[in-house]
Each structure stands twice: as structure tokens, then as C-alpha cells.
Amino acid sequence: MAARVAYRRIYEDPTPQDGKRVLVDRLWPRGVSKEKAGLDEWLRDVAPSADLRRWYHHDPQRYEEFRRRYHAELEDSDHQDPLRRLRDLSAHAKVTLLTATKDVDHSGAAALAEWLDGA
């Protein structure tokens, strides 16, 4: 199956190629109105835990370990409902995971997209 899950920054303008736009950050991004965001859903409960996010602190040197820990967190029962929703959305349309993180390639959205494509 072709990759049906992409990721990008929420600060970029929506495009028709985005498909369903899903914010996957726990916190609402600064300076973005709900109208400008153009979201289909906000699944904050799929985001990395606060402890993991603080430990990672967006340090690219820690990304591989962050990704491993986050993938392990995704197996927890707390993440199952939002993951089920993302799987359902991606089974029917392209999904773009949105994040406020500056380094989108070393973000929770990137790790989540990888996990979803491998699931």
C-alpha cells in the first residue's frame, strides 16, 4: 500500500493534497487560529507523553531514542482510541499529521507517520 500518511508543519498553508488534516500535538500551536488551521481533527491524546516530550526537548541527537520510546508508548492503552481513529482515516483517504515543531523531520508527527505506515 502506498504511504497514505504524511506530516508537515501546521504553519504552512493547507493544500488539497493534504487530504484529512489532523493535529497531533498535545498543545494548541501558538498564533494559529482554528479557521487558519483548517483541521479535520485534533487528536491530542496520540501525542508523546509530557515526560517524553520534556526529555526529548527537540534535540535531534536524541531523535532515535525518542522515536523508540514514543513507538513503545503507542502500544499503551491510552493511545489506542486515537490510533484507531487515525487508522480508520488513513484507510479511506490520505492523512496529513500536523505539528508546530520547527524540525518536522525530527518530530513526534514524523515518528507517528512512520509507525502508522508500518502498522
Side-chain angles (χ1 to χ4, degrees):
M1 175 169 95
R4 298 191 52 88
V5 179
Y7 57 90
R8 60 193 298 226
R9 292 193 75 212
I10 194 165
Y11 299 104
E12 298 172 21
D13 291 332
T15 70
Q17 294 78 26
D18 288 344
K20 297 288 184 181
R21 293 171 51 86
V22 181
L23 178 61
V24 293
D25 286 350
R26 193 166 299 278
L27 305 173
W28 187 262
R30 290 182 186 160
V32 177
S33 69
K34 294 196 189 240
E35 294 78 33
K36 185 174 181 343
L39 294 182
D40 291 291
E41 298 200 34
W42 180 16
L43 296 175
R44 69 183 81 179
D45 292 333
V46 78
S49 67
D51 287 342
L52 180 55
R53 196 177 72 244
R54 277 191 293 272
W55 172 83
Y56 177 45
H57 199 62
H58 301 290
D59 179 350
Q61 292 182 337
R62 290 184 170 186
Y63 181 72
E64 289 305 315
E65 180 62 15
F66 165 78
R67 186 178 59 78
R68 187 191 68 71
R69 291 181 187 189
Y70 182 34
H71 287 182
E73 279 189 0
L74 290 172
E75 302 297 329
D76 293 345
S77 61
D78 292 347
H79 289 90
Q80 295 313 299
D81 287 340
L83 285 173
R84 217 175 344 270
R85 180 66 185 142
L86 282 173
R87 283 190 195 112
D88 183 53
L89 287 171
S90 66
H92 298 95
K94 180 175 179 186
V95 172
T96 298
L97 307 177
L98 300 169
T99 182
T101 306
K102 287 181 184 176
D103 184 358
V104 72
D105 290 327
H106 295 102
S107 68
L112 179 57
E114 177 188 16
W115 190 89
L116 287 165
D117 280 340

